[in-house]
Amino acid sequence: MTQQGASRTERHEHAEERTAAPSAPAAVTGDPEAARRRAERRAERITAGATELEQRLADLLRGGLAGAGQAGPGLWEETAARMVDAQAPGLASRVRELGSIPSSGPGWPVRLLEECALLHLLDQGWLRRERLPDGLAATVRARVGLQAAADGPPVRDHWLVLAQYDTVDTRLTTRRIWLHGAESERTALLLSYGAGGRAPELALPIGLALDAELSAYPGAVRQRAALGRRFAPPEPARTRPRGLTTSQAAVRYGGALRDDPWLDSVPVALDRVVPVPDGDGWQLADADGDTALPLAPAAGSRSGLWRLVALSGGAPVTVFGECGHRGFTPLTAWSAGPGPAVPLC
């Protein structure tokens, strides 16, 4: 299903993913020394951009956050353009989001300060990347917008298609496909893109299993992967992902933040949870405990919530989705007994 009108967090997340989308064929050369010099020149430009951005953030805090609300988005657009000139599209997308926060409703100064802190952390990570562990340094490079090829060893498995959904903006359609390995117990993300209003080419129906190889991209979390060789056509899956409790899911997200502080969410399956109202929103409550996870605000306005409530009927279900600081976004569910996967997005 195509999702439009995404929340600020979702727009920011997908804007970062677009920095990894191929926009033009890379220059092909057999000269490794020339490639090294190009990489060094780009790193120098990014360093200059990050240094300038640090000064802009310092000026903002010195002048007070109230000034950001009066200046409007124009200041941030100009700064984002500077980051594009520095060949740091990841920094540019984060800077653009700063311009939309003052108009995002009550509490915007707190949100602006939080985003400025994360941007400052990313800047400092780039400027001190040589001192970081390899995985975290790779994450920083990806977050500022440096493309990298999938370098993980191919992992062959029967990959269950957990979820698939599109996010559309004026330039690009981004398709996210979540897979789960029956033997490896690994959950991986495939990204596919369509430009100019075209749908992405890769499509994998939910509930099928794919005998194929995946290779991970660099990074501390190593969540994103590239689809490699396929050994057979997709077939109906005979397994479901192993679920966690809601408290275990929160712990998993906290652990992932240690390795990638800019991570908005992690994929997780919840076992034996019941959707229940919670004031103006909803939550997924453990059927066998006294803990729960709130649903992300955007999830409450989607028709998938009512499919989930109908599937449950007050009984425990298994739900796969994305767990983050805004709450849990349900994407797919299974009833307690036999039955197919039910898409919720």
Side-chain angles (χ1 to χ4, degrees):
M1 178 177 178
T2 298
Q3 297 183 7
Q4 294 180 331
S7 68
R8 184 181 63 82
T9 298
E10 289 171 322
R11 292 197 308 270
H12 171 63
E13 179 180 344
H14 297 302
E16 284 186 341
E17 287 166 357
R18 288 196 300 272
T19 66
S23 56
V28 178
T29 177
D31 186 351
E33 179 60 24
R36 184 189 65 79
R37 288 195 299 268
R38 285 195 300 273
E40 287 181 349
R41 287 194 296 269
R42 183 174 183 186
E44 290 172 357
R45 285 192 287 268
I46 295 175
T47 296
T51 302
E52 178 181 347
L53 184 54
E54 283 291 275
Q55 185 60 53
R56 297 286 181 103
L57 293 175
D59 292 343
L60 169 66
L61 298 180
R62 188 178 300 111
L65 296 181
Q70 300 169 358
L75 172 64
W76 300 113
E77 285 296 333
E78 188 268 338
T79 304
R82 298 282 293 171
M83 297 305 103
V84 171
D85 292 341
Q87 294 187 300
L91 293 179
S93 68
R94 284 187 170 270
V95 168
R96 287 194 182 96
E97 289 299 327
L98 295 181
S100 66
I101 295 177
S103 60
S104 63
W108 68 263
V110 174
R111 292 191 293 275
L112 179 60
L113 187 60
E114 290 172 348
E115 291 298 328
C116 285
L118 286 172
L119 186 52
H120 167 69
L121 184 64
L122 183 55
D123 272 346
Q124 291 298 313
W126 172 263
L127 296 174
R128 293 169 169 78
R129 61 194 180 279
E130 293 85 0
R131 307 180 209 172
L132 299 178
D134 290 344
L136 184 56
T139 297
V140 168
R141 287 193 292 270
R143 291 289 181 182
V144 302
L146 285 177
Q147 298 181 27
D151 64 353
V155 176
R156 181 177 179 180
D157 206 335
H158 285 83
W159 298 96
L160 169 63
V161 183
L162 294 176
Q164 173 180 292
Y165 66 90
D166 293 350
T167 300
V168 179
D169 67 17
T170 56
R171 296 188 300 110
L172 199 67
T173 297
T174 302
R175 176 165 294 165
R176 296 163 60 87
I177 301 176
W178 286 110
L179 304 177
H180 182 76
E183 298 178 7
S184 64
E185 292 288 332
R186 178 188 165 200
T187 303
L189 174 66
L190 302 181
L191 293 179
S192 183
Y193 304 93
R198 296 189 299 271
E201 292 185 5
L202 183 61
L204 298 174
I206 296 171
L208 296 185
L210 185 67
D211 183 7
E213 292 179 339
L214 296 185
S215 297
Y217 280 83
V221 179
R222 300 185 75 85
Q223 189 167 267
R224 187 186 170 204
L227 179 62
R229 183 181 175 187
R230 306 188 206 186
F231 299 93
E235 59 182 18
R238 297 183 293 271
T239 61
R240 298 179 180 182
R242 184 180 303 175
L244 304 177
T245 66
T246 56
S247 57
Q248 289 171 333
V251 169
R252 174 170 293 184
Y253 177 55
L257 285 177
R258 177 191 57 207
D259 298 323
D260 184 352
W262 307 277
L263 192 64
D264 283 320
S265 62
V266 294
V268 66
L270 301 176
D271 190 31
R272 292 185 55 76
V273 291
V274 181
V276 296
D278 178 32
D280 294 333
W282 286 77
Q283 63 182 2
L284 294 175
D286 277 313
D288 305 314
D290 57 357
T291 59
L293 279 177
L295 293 190
S301 62
R302 296 172 184 164
S303 60
L305 170 62
W306 303 112
R307 289 199 295 272
L308 175 59
V309 172
L311 178 69
S312 168
V317 291
T318 297
V319 183
F320 170 78
E322 297 170 350
C323 180
H325 61 99
R326 300 293 184 191
F328 187 88
T329 301
L331 300 175
T332 307
W334 297 261
S335 62
V342 177
L344 304 176
C345 60

